[in-house]
Amino acid sequence: MASTPPTDRPGLSRPAICAAALALIDARGVAALSIRALAAQMGTRPMSLYRHVDDKDDILDGVVALLLDETPRPPGGGSWRAGMRAWALGYRAVLARHPAVVPLLATRAATSYATGRERVEEALTMLERSGMSPADAALVLRAMARFVVGFSLAGAGAPPAADPPAAAGLREAGLPRLARLVEGMAGDPDDDALFALSLDALLDGLERRVAPHARGS
């Protein structure tokens, strides 16, 4: 018996397509996303998607926008440092929920800024109002975004399995400190602490070098 070909699904829209694309990437990775695969997942024809999106790049832009929409806005009224720290923690939490999308962000930085233009403009406005120059505000935002994406990219793969023999071999070779480091990496039990330490170190450096006179730092 011949299978029934997919039909144009009622209620198809760009937001629905982008949400389905995010779900596909979450399940199978960025490389698995194609117009044909997405249409099959949504039970419709590939050409039906083109009535709502331009192409695959347009869909990827929509996926990035969904992630940025999930990221909480920094709380108002505080210092630029507190605001950027809260944003970084929130952004990392979003990326932890969607680890398969992180490589996409790493390769589409400029596109991500354009896609999330309202959020980016809001952050730059906050930084400039604290007393930073426009150039310094841009550098701070880029440094923060690159740090969060880079940290998330490093942890996007499966946690390494514990390897006691390897650690034991390092101890036998007279490298006890390296052995402890390797043991600590198994499953990244201190991942949150490592992120917080690195984030505060970055903010300390930015505060001294880029924004020593910014208000509320």
Side-chain angles (χ1 to χ4, degrees):
M1 180 177 178
S3 60
T4 303
T7 58
D8 293 350
R9 199 180 84 176
L12 202 62
S13 65
R14 188 176 188 278
I17 291 169
C18 294
L22 176 57
L24 189 154
I25 293 172
D26 282 341
R28 298 165 53 192
V30 175
L33 179 66
S34 68
I35 296 293
R36 185 175 298 277
L38 186 56
Q41 176 170 296
M42 300 186 74
T44 190
R45 305 172 189 272
M47 289 307 298
S48 298
L49 302 187
Y50 286 110
R51 298 176 183 172
H52 306 277
V53 295
D54 295 335
D55 50 26
K56 180 179 174 179
D57 280 341
D58 189 25
I59 295 172
L60 292 176
D61 285 346
V63 168
V64 171
L66 287 175
L67 294 184
L68 296 178
D69 286 344
E70 280 189 41
T71 305
R73 282 182 163 85
S79 68
W80 72 266
R81 178 181 174 131
M84 293 309 298
R85 193 178 195 280
W87 172 84
L89 292 170
Y91 192 26
R92 180 182 176 239
V94 170
L95 298 189
R97 293 195 293 271
H98 305 282
V101 187
V102 177
L104 174 65
L105 296 168
T107 58
R108 297 171 70 86
T111 303
S112 298
Y113 287 123
T115 300
R117 53 188 177 273
E118 289 85 5
R119 293 289 186 93
V120 173
E121 187 72 15
E122 185 179 78
L124 291 172
T125 299
M126 177 192 72
L127 293 171
E128 289 184 29
R129 285 177 176 170
S130 76
M132 293 185 201
S133 69
D136 284 347
L139 285 174
V140 167
L141 186 59
R142 289 180 60 199
M144 296 292 294
R146 185 169 295 190
F147 166 71
V148 176
V149 172
F151 193 99
S152 300
L153 185 63
D163 189 0
L170 290 170
R171 284 195 171 84
E172 291 173 2
L175 302 167
R177 294 172 182 82
L178 180 55
R180 285 195 296 271
L181 185 149
V182 170
E183 288 173 337
M185 290 176 64
D188 279 336
D190 298 322
D191 205 42
D192 290 342
L194 179 60
F195 181 81
L197 174 68
S198 303
L199 174 60
D200 286 336
L202 174 60
L203 287 167
D204 287 345
L206 291 172
E207 194 168 22
R208 288 194 303 269
R209 294 174 64 91
V210 179
H213 306 299
R215 294 187 298 276
S217 59

